[in-house]
Amino acid sequence: MQQYVETAPGVRLWTEQRGPADAPPLLLVMGAQASGIGWPEPFVDALAEHHRVIRYDHRDTGRSTWSFDTDPYPISALAEDVVALLDGLGIARAHLAGLSLGGMLGQLVLADHPERVASATLMGTNALSTRPYTAPDGTETPVEELPGIAPEILEFWARPVEDHGEEAELDRRVAHWRLLAGGRLPFDPEWYRDLERQIIAHTGTYTPPSAHSRADPDGLLRTEELAANRVPVQVVVAPAEPVFPPPHPHHLARCLNAVRVTEIPGMGHALPPAVQGPLAAAILAHTGATG
C-alpha cells in the first residue's frame, strides 16, 4: 500500500507499507540523498513476513516533496520527519532500522523520542557522541582520531556532477556503488544498475538529489541522551565498510548501551543480494527478541 503523509507544512512524504497490517511496525530509514526504493525488494519482503514494513522517501528524494531550494531545512528536520511520519500513519511505537544517515536519524529519535522506538538496528553510521572509544584492552581513542572516510570516496564526492544523459548518470552511480561496496564481495554492476533504474523510474528523473549534502548538520550531537539510552539497540558491523569503518560500530554500540553487535560477513556500505538474507535475519532476531 502506498500513501503520502504530511510531516511539515508543505512537505509530503511518499510511503509504502508491506506485510500484515496488524504485525509490529518496522520503519526503514534510508541514507542521505537516498529514496526508500534503495531498500531492495527481496530484503523488504523477508522483513514483511513478520512485520508491517514501512519504507519511505526522505524529503528531496523520490516522490516526496522537493523543497530545499526554496525552503532550506537542517538535517535534524529529517529526524522530525520520522516522528511525524509515525504520527501520520497512526503508529505509536515502531521498530527502526537505519542505514548511514538513516542511522544518525535513528539516534536522534532514540535520544529525543525514545518512547516511539520499540527497538533499533543501526548500520553504516557513526555515533552522535563526543564520548571517546574504549577498545577491549582499555585504550581510549578520541572521536576525532577514529578512522575517517576512505580517500577514494571523498575524492568521488568532491567531483562535480555533470549531466551527460541517463546512461552516463547510471555509469556514475554504479561507479559510486563499487566504492561503497567495499571490495570483499564480488561486485555485480548490473545488479546496482538495475537498482538505480528502479530508483530513477520511481523518482521520474535521473537528476541526482543534493539537498542533504547542503543541509545544515549542526546540532546533531546527543552525547548524554545516548548514554542514557535504554531502548534495545543492535549495531551492525560491516567489515568492508568504507565510510564509517570499524571500530565505529563498536564505538556506537558503547555510546548507546547496545544489547547486540552483529557482524554481516563481507558487508560494506551497500545492500547487495549476498548481505540481504543475513541482515534481514539479524533484524528479525533483534525485533523478535525485543517484542
Side-chain angles (χ1 to χ4, degrees):
M1 179 177 70
Q2 300 181 30
Q3 71 182 87
Y4 286 88
V5 174
E6 184 173 348
T7 58
V11 176
R12 294 196 318 157
L13 302 187
W14 173 88
T15 73
E16 179 201 70
Q17 299 181 60
R18 198 176 303 185
D22 59 350
L26 168 60
L27 181 64
L28 304 178
V29 188
M30 245 301 160
Q33 330 287 10
S35 159
I37 300 299
W39 296 104
E41 297 289 333
F43 176 75
V44 177
D45 285 339
L47 296 174
E49 292 183 12
H50 301 276
H51 285 283
R52 172 189 175 189
V53 179
I54 304 109
R55 61 178 179 174
Y56 72 99
D57 293 339
H58 294 296
R59 56 174 88 182
D60 286 278
T61 74
R63 296 180 181 175
S64 292
T65 301
W66 291 53
S67 60
F68 186 85
D69 289 338
T70 55
D71 188 16
Y73 50 83
I75 287 292
S76 59
L78 301 178
E80 295 166 9
D81 282 345
V82 171
V83 177
L85 181 62
L86 295 177
D87 289 341
L89 295 175
I91 297 172
R93 193 164 173 255
H95 299 280
L96 299 182
L99 171 65
S100 195
L101 175 64
M104 297 180 195
L105 302 181
Q107 291 176 68
L108 292 178
V109 178
L110 285 167
D112 300 342
H113 303 278
E115 74 283 356
R116 306 303 299 271
V117 186
S119 78
T121 296
L122 308 178
M123 63 200 95
T125 194
N126 65 318
L128 301 180
S129 173
T130 59
R131 177 180 176 180
Y133 168 62
T134 304
D137 65 2
T139 303
E140 284 198 351
T141 303
V143 172
E144 59 273 16
E145 295 180 14
L146 290 174
I149 300 169
E152 58 270 23
I153 291 179
L154 291 175
E155 190 275 332
F156 188 96
W157 289 349
R159 297 176 197 169
V161 178
E162 301 174 344
D163 185 353
H164 296 291
E166 183 171 336
E167 291 304 313
E169 173 60 17
L170 284 166
D171 290 342
R172 188 190 71 83
R173 295 188 189 189
V174 171
H176 187 209
W177 280 120
R178 187 181 293 275
L179 295 176
L180 292 176
R184 293 203 188 180
L185 295 172
F187 185 81
D188 181 357
E190 290 308 311
W191 184 86
Y192 287 96
R193 198 175 193 88
D194 182 64
L195 175 66
E196 289 297 339
R197 285 193 190 280
Q198 294 174 46
I199 291 170
I200 288 170
H202 169 78
T203 304
T205 177
Y206 64 82
T207 300
S210 65
H212 301 164
S213 64
R214 295 180 283 141
D216 186 351
D218 289 343
L220 300 185
L221 287 177
R222 295 290 191 279
T223 302
E224 298 306 321
E225 295 87 345
L226 296 182
N229 174 63
R230 293 297 178 265
V231 175
V233 172
Q234 171 175 229
V235 175
V236 171
V237 178
E241 170 66 59
V243 179
F244 295 111
H248 278 283
H250 304 93
H251 177 234
L252 177 63
R254 286 178 175 268
C255 290
L256 278 163
N257 306 305
V259 298
R260 289 176 179 235
V261 178
T262 305
E263 180 169 321
I264 305 298
M267 185 174 176
H269 202 78
L271 300 173
V275 309
Q276 291 172 31
L279 181 59
I283 292 172
L284 291 174
H286 184 56
T287 60
T290 56

